[in-house]
Amino acid sequence: MAELPVIGVSVGYLAALFGVAYWAERRSGARRSLVGNPYIYALSLAVYCTAWTYYGSVGRASQVGIEFLAIYLGPTLLAPIWWLLLRKIIRICRQQRLTSIADFLSARYGKSASLGAVVTVLCVVGSIPYIALQIKAIAASFALLTQGSGPSVLGGVGGVALATTIVLAFFTIIFGVRSVEATERHDGMVFAVAVESLVKLVAFLAVGVFVVWGLFSGPTDIFDQAAAVPALKRLFTLQDSGVTAPHWRTLLLLSGAAIILLPRQFQLAVVENTNEDHLRKAMWLFPLYLLIINLFVLPIALGGALRLGATDADFYVLALPLHANSPGLALLTYIGGLSAASSMIIVETVALAVMLSNHLLMPLLVRIPAAHITRRPGWFAYLSQSALWGRRLAVAVVLLLAYGWYMTVGQGLALVNIGLVSFAAVAQLVPVVLGSLYWKGGTRSGAMAGLLGGFLLWFVTLVLPTFVGPGWLAPQVLADGLFGLPQLRPEALFGLTTLDPLTHGLFWSWTVNILLFVGVSLFGEPSGDEAQQAVAFVDVFKGGAGATGAAWAGAPLPDVRALLTGFLGPKRTAQALRQFSDRHPDALTSQLLPANATPADTDPRLLTWAEKLLAGSIGPAAARLLLASATGAQRVTFEGVVGALRESQQLVEANRQLRRQQRELQRLTTELQTAYHQLQGLDQLKDEFLSTVTHELRTPLTSIRALAEILYDVPDLQDPERSRFLLTITRESDRLSRLITLVLDLEKFESGKATLDVSSVDMADVVADAVAATEQLATERQIQFQLDTPATLPFVPADRDRLMQVLVNLLSNAIKASPTDGTGRISVRATAEAGQMQLTVTDNGKGIDPAYHTLIFDKFFQARNQSVRKPEGSGLGLAITKKIVELHLGTISVESAATCGAVFRVTLPLVSDKLYSRP
């Protein structure tokens, strides 16, 4: 195909993209934005699928088969946790107006300018090979499409690459670097990227359908023919593919990290995000996109190997339509590749340009002494223009560096190999990024040490070997080891030879990175700024990032207004001041006075607000430096506040200590008084209890002694009278024995010595025996029993004798409380439900006042309340009953009114391992 038509189509396509982007910008200016849509957001994330995906995946599949899928499985597996991880990053960046991964890390670790510069250099160095990969893909595909068409108009592959670099630099500057405020949305760029994502998807699917059903008779035909070639069969057979678990895991880790941390991905996924809820749809739509675009990778790779043989496998996608003499499809394929490469170049260079401006250029400019600033009225506007033109220059520099890298190094490397090296570079950010989100103990020094150490190992293990190809490094240097040390061979550090080069490089770089980051952080203390930012990042969903406090003081309002106007313009500055006033209505009204007014010093909160606004234009570190040097504002650091308060705190602490000791003395006095009153009460209760028990013991003893003396003094007493006296002596002896038993039982329960002989007990049988034991007493008082104990009741784990004691005591109490005029009724009912046995004893006696429902189970209560309904005697029966029930892990309660009878309810568990395990 002739070069001029291809050039015309290329320029026309890029011009169409210009038009699409311009149209989207116009709609955004009219408040009808097209990018406030989750589908556009998800499609923009597909910038991940670059020329590496479009061409390189097929080349990769031709070498390692299904292993190529790992590059897409990593992001797919990570997508479900975007709502937790990526949403947190988006929230932080929005609240602190951060515009790049360098801004993010710089802000987290104390707004460090040096750390931001290190991250910027790392990202630029790691991204240059990747951008060069895209230039290579465009130039090589153009050359393949136009081969055999005569002398080259553009001067061969190198000329095509240079022309591509210039055109894309122009497009990037127009739609990506039009304003100094980096937080401004690039609606045109985002929409154009989304359109390009659809174009490359359609083009790749068209080639896939053509290969599968045009060149072959379907997927089965391709795989059958490939299966007949052993070298191809291994590509789609797991058993023979040679895929190793370490390498597979390395690819998953690298791709999972790249989907968020690559500068272009951070730009589109975080900076250009307009609504956090768009993540919900992107979490499934983006993995679906990856699945669809990879459907035909393996069939194309097999088809290319079968039909083209020795052709460069990276370009099977384009070579197959050319081989089949389908120029229209070949041109569409070329446009798809151009879309894949150009979208990556545009977004990546925009992100890198912002980082270079914010973290290398602006920190240098804002360090100019304040005296120079005040002598130049237009200095702030000059700084703003410097930042803008610095970014535009950075776009050109980055693209020229990528072009130079491609011309000197990249032409001899496979597309995928270039991409993996870049992925490994960006992966060095993983430890410090995760630390910034979830670990408050990370410090700037630790982050700096970790990044530098990891970056050094990345360069040694993965970049140095690429210098052998162009002759920059002798192969013997690598074979002998750096500095002549065999332990420092880049591809086998310290004798580790069992890993593939990529896994080997990631292992050593991450190991050094993590150890330095964690170790240095643990050996140091975070500064006040670092601690404050740690809370803001880690606790962002708890409101931590919203409260920065009054961090500035002492700056005149005109200087602050002039500074903001220089970077934001008069309209945007006025709008920002109104927003501040709406958020802080208690702020001084002088904040909104005209510029020629003479107000007091600026409200400290407005200075913090201004710092955030400037951070969106020049980065957090440069914003802090500029605000201090340009306005004379003084930053109130955490350490400064602590130092200022330390002296007064000592006085306050001494006073607080004195008051604390006084309160402790008062509390101790109160506790001693309370304990004294409690001991007095207990002593009184003990005396009352002993008096009651003594009285109860004396009564039967008196009767026994009197009757015994009569029997002794009157030997000829009549037999009926003698028998009556002996019967009374026997009953009083039994009464005395029972009382002593009660006292001993109570002592056992109180001391914890009481034991249970647990067995499976038939409750109906126990009820029947208890009724029989008290039936005589009930008959004498003309009281009737009513029983409701079904024969189907389950067995209860209990001590039968103790349970019998409970029932007899409750029945005896009910009998003695019931009327004796023939109307007395006592009901005994047993039910089982919800894993419990419930036993109720109901009578129609005189009842119990509700005020005493819990007190009647007190062993001391009877002695002090003789008028309350309880059986005659010591008053120990219900106290012991309660102890027995609780020993069975059950409960006992009473329901009654003063004159309406009483219901005693006992609840026991039907199953209890604890009960059986008791002694």
Side-chain angles (χ1 to χ4, degrees):
M1 186 176 296
E3 279 192 352
L4 289 179
V6 176
I7 294 174
V9 170
S10 301
V11 174
Y13 175 72
L14 292 177
L17 284 181
F18 292 167
V20 167
Y22 180 73
W23 176 60
E25 290 287 344
R26 292 289 300 272
R27 287 184 61 92
S28 177
R31 299 186 181 275
R32 293 182 297 165
S33 175
L34 292 169
V35 301
N37 182 299
Y39 294 97
I40 298 299
Y41 176 70
L43 283 173
S44 71
L45 297 181
V47 73
Y48 178 79
C49 298
T50 64
W52 182 12
T53 296
Y54 197 84
Y55 293 123
S57 289
V58 174
R60 182 77 173 172
S62 300
Q63 298 173 6
V64 296
I66 60 174
E67 186 188 279
F68 83 94
L69 286 173
I71 303 299
Y72 309 97
L73 283 177
T76 301
L77 295 175
L78 189 65
I81 68 170
W82 281 0
W83 189 248
L84 300 176
L85 180 64
L86 188 55
R87 184 170 70 105
K88 190 172 188 178
I89 297 175
I90 292 173
R91 179 74 61 86
I92 292 169
C93 290
R94 182 167 299 153
Q95 290 186 354
Q96 301 213 3
R97 296 178 63 84
L98 308 177
T99 61
S100 67
I101 187 64
D103 278 4
F104 183 86
L105 293 175
S106 171
R108 162 58 183 87
Y109 297 102
K111 300 185 179 180
S112 168
S114 58
L115 182 62
V118 169
V119 175
T120 297
V121 172
L122 189 153
C123 288
V124 170
V125 173
S127 299
I128 290 296
Y130 209 144
I131 299 174
L133 181 155
Q134 314 306 314
I135 296 174
K136 173 182 178 178
I138 295 174
S141 60
F142 181 90
L144 182 62
L145 187 64
T146 60
Q147 66 180 353
S149 61
S152 174
V153 176
L154 296 175
V157 175
V160 175
L162 181 59
T164 300
T165 302
I166 295 172
V167 172
L168 289 177
F170 175 75
F171 179 85
T172 302
I173 290 172
I174 290 180
F175 289 99
V177 193
R178 66 179 183 276
S179 170
V180 70
E181 191 174 8
T183 51
E184 181 182 352
R185 305 294 177 193
H186 302 87
D187 284 10
M189 182 184 72
V190 173
F191 189 72
V193 170
V195 170
E196 286 187 305
S197 296
L198 287 176
V199 171
K200 65 190 176 190
L201 178 64
V202 171
F204 195 84
L205 292 179
V207 176
V209 171
F210 172 76
V211 171
V212 173
W213 285 279
L215 299 181
F216 295 87
S217 301
T220 304
D221 182 27
I222 293 180
F223 285 100
D224 286 344
Q225 291 190 37
V229 182
L232 297 181
K233 182 179 180 180
R234 68 174 181 82
L235 298 180
F236 58 90
T237 307
L238 278 175
Q239 184 177 0
D240 302 323
S241 64
V243 175
T244 62
H247 190 63
W248 186 269
R249 285 193 294 266
T250 298
L251 295 177
L252 291 177
L253 289 172
L254 289 179
S255 56
I259 196 60
I260 296 178
L261 300 182
L262 283 172
R264 68 177 186 277
Q265 298 299 142
F266 194 92
Q267 179 74 30
L268 291 173
V270 178
V271 179
E272 302 293 345
N273 177 275
T274 60
N275 190 329
E276 291 177 7
D277 284 340
H278 290 174
L279 284 173
R280 298 182 186 275
K281 196 170 294 293
M283 285 165 59
W284 64 265
L285 190 57
F286 177 65
L288 178 62
Y289 184 97
L290 296 182
L291 172 65
I292 294 174
I293 202 170
N294 283 286
L295 283 176
F296 292 105
V297 169
L298 195 55
I300 293 174
L302 296 175
L306 291 169
R307 290 288 188 270
L308 302 177
T311 302
D312 185 353
D314 279 343
F315 294 97
Y316 279 167
V317 178
L318 182 59
L320 282 169
L322 290 173
H323 175 76
N325 197 24
S326 298
L329 179 60
L331 190 58
L332 175 63
T333 304
Y334 166 76
I335 292 298
L338 180 63
S339 292
S342 60
S343 60
M344 181 274 173
I345 292 175
I346 293 166
V347 181
E348 191 86 352
T349 50
V350 166
L352 293 177
V354 170
M355 293 164 67
L356 286 168
S357 171
N358 288 359
H359 297 282
L360 294 184
L361 175 63
M362 293 309 298
L364 295 177
L365 291 179
V366 300
R367 290 180 187 274
I368 296 176
H372 290 71
I373 296 175
T374 55
R375 287 197 294 266
R376 299 187 61 174
W379 179 253
F380 297 143
Y382 171 76
L383 283 179
S384 175
Q385 290 301 308
S386 297
L388 180 59
W389 283 102
R391 287 176 190 165
R392 292 170 177 172
L393 179 62
V395 169
V397 169
V398 167
L399 286 175
L400 288 176
L401 287 175
Y403 169 76
W405 196 91
Y406 158 68
M407 293 299 295
T408 56
V409 180
Q411 295 190 59
L413 298 177
L415 297 180
V416 171
N417 293 339
I418 299 174
L420 290 175
V421 171
S422 293
F423 273 23
V426 175
Q428 302 310 310
L429 301 175
V430 170
V432 291
V433 169
L434 292 180
S436 69
L437 294 173
Y438 301 106
W439 185 34
K440 295 179 181 178
T443 65
R444 181 197 66 83
S445 299
M448 183 76 76
L451 287 176
L452 291 176
F455 185 69
L456 176 63
L457 267 295
W458 165 81
F459 185 83
V460 169
T461 58
L462 294 174
V463 177
L464 275 183
T466 65
F467 291 168
V468 174
W472 292 0
L473 192 66
Q476 195 61 34
V477 174
L478 299 183
D480 295 340
L482 299 179
F483 310 110
L485 299 175
Q487 295 85 358
L488 297 183
R489 286 186 296 153
E491 295 183 346
L493 283 181
F494 302 105
L496 184 59
T497 59
T498 58
L499 300 177
D500 63 90
L502 184 63
T503 305
H504 175 268
L506 184 65
F507 169 78
W508 282 115
S509 59
W510 262 9
T511 298
V512 172
N513 190 333
I514 295 171
L515 289 177
L516 288 175
F517 172 49
V518 175
V520 174
S521 295
L522 291 177
F523 277 102
E525 288 292 332
S527 66
D529 289 336
E530 290 171 8
Q532 184 183 32
Q533 289 297 93
V535 173
F537 275 56
V538 177
D539 297 333
V540 63
F541 292 124
K542 300 178 183 178
T548 57
W552 296 90
L557 176 65
D559 288 352
V560 177
R561 181 191 292 274
L563 176 60
L564 292 176
T565 303
F567 279 89
L568 306 181
K571 182 178 180 182
R572 179 73 179 89
T573 300
Q575 180 184 3
L577 292 174
R578 283 194 298 271
Q579 289 177 349
F580 170 79
S581 181
D582 292 340
R583 292 193 181 189
H584 304 283
D586 62 321
L588 296 175
T589 55
S590 61
Q591 309 304 342
L592 301 179
L593 290 174
N596 58 359
T598 308
D601 280 350
T602 307
D603 189 308
R605 292 172 296 180
L606 179 57
L607 291 171
T608 301
W609 177 262
E611 182 186 5
K612 281 189 175 182
L613 293 175
L614 292 172
S617 298
I618 59 177
R624 169 165 292 185
L625 292 171
L626 181 60
L627 191 61
S629 63
T631 66
Q634 296 180 351
R635 189 162 56 89
V636 183
T637 64
F638 177 79
E639 291 85 351
V641 172
V642 171
L645 293 177
R646 189 164 292 153
E647 293 183 4
S648 59
Q649 185 180 8
Q650 291 175 354
L651 296 176
V652 173
E653 183 61 29
N655 187 35
R656 186 184 296 115
Q657 194 75 11
L658 184 60
R659 291 183 179 180
R660 185 183 298 113
Q661 291 174 357
Q662 184 179 5
R663 288 195 300 268
E664 288 291 331
L665 183 59
Q666 292 176 347
R667 183 180 62 81
L668 182 58
T669 303
T670 303
E671 290 178 354
L672 288 173
Q673 291 176 346
T674 302
Y676 174 73
H677 292 311
Q678 288 177 347
L679 287 174
Q680 281 188 322
L682 290 173
D683 187 62
Q684 181 181 357
L685 291 174
K686 179 202 68 174
D687 292 342
E688 293 173 351
F689 175 70
L690 290 176
S691 175
T692 301
V693 171
T694 302
H695 172 75
E696 292 298 325
L697 290 172
R698 185 182 297 113
T699 300
L701 283 173
T702 302
S703 298
I704 292 171
R705 180 175 179 177
L707 293 175
E709 288 178 350
I710 292 173
L711 290 174
Y712 180 79
D713 293 337
V714 187
D716 55 349
L717 192 66
Q718 297 295 323
D719 287 343
E721 195 71 11
R722 180 185 298 276
S723 297
R724 185 170 62 81
F725 285 177
L726 289 174
L727 179 60
T728 301
I729 291 173
T730 301
R731 288 179 175 175
E732 291 299 315
S733 298
D734 290 341
R735 178 183 172 189
L736 184 60
S737 177
R738 286 194 301 272
L739 181 60
I740 294 172
T741 301
L742 286 174
V743 173
L744 294 176
D745 282 350
L746 185 61
E747 189 277 333
K748 286 183 180 180
F749 286 118
E750 292 289 345
S751 63
K753 297 177 181 179
T755 60
L756 296 178
D757 183 11
V758 181
S759 63
S760 296
V761 176
D762 186 346
M763 183 58 73
D765 184 46
V766 174
V767 171
D769 288 350
V771 170
T774 56
E775 190 172 16
Q776 181 62 35
L777 180 61
T779 302
E780 292 175 358
R781 296 189 175 224
Q782 299 183 3
I783 298 171
Q784 296 183 4
F785 282 119
Q786 296 177 350
L787 304 182
D788 182 7
T789 55
T792 58
L793 287 174
F795 284 75
V796 180
D799 185 326
R800 192 182 192 282
D801 293 339
R802 293 291 190 186
L803 201 56
M804 182 76 173
Q805 185 179 353
V806 169
L807 286 170
V808 168
N809 191 32
L810 293 178
L811 291 174
S812 299
N813 288 353
I815 290 171
K816 294 171 184 177
S818 297
T820 59
D821 58 357
T823 62
R825 299 288 186 273
I826 297 176
S827 169
V828 183
R829 185 168 185 263
T831 59
E833 59 182 9
Q836 293 180 328
M837 175 70 72
Q838 192 172 89
L839 179 69
T840 57
V841 177
T842 307
D843 65 66
N844 60 347
K846 57 185 179 182
I848 305 171
D849 192 303
Y852 301 119
H853 282 183
T854 57
L855 297 176
I856 59 173
F857 297 104
D858 187 348
K859 64 185 178 183
F860 300 126
F861 185 70
Q862 176 76 350
R864 291 174 282 126
N865 299 272
Q866 298 294 335
S867 62
V868 179
R869 163 189 161 173
K870 281 190 77 173
E872 300 85 350
S874 65
L876 298 178
L878 283 179
I880 292 176
T881 296
K882 184 173 184 292
K883 294 292 184 181
I884 294 174
V885 172
E886 290 177 346
L887 200 59
H888 281 82
L889 305 179
T891 59
I892 183 171
S893 61
V894 63
E895 299 174 7
S896 177
T899 59
C900 301
V903 179
F904 282 85
R905 181 171 286 104
V906 175
T907 303
L908 300 172
L910 288 175
V911 178
S912 178
D913 294 336
K914 293 182 178 180
L915 189 61
Y916 278 106
S917 64
R918 287 193 169 193

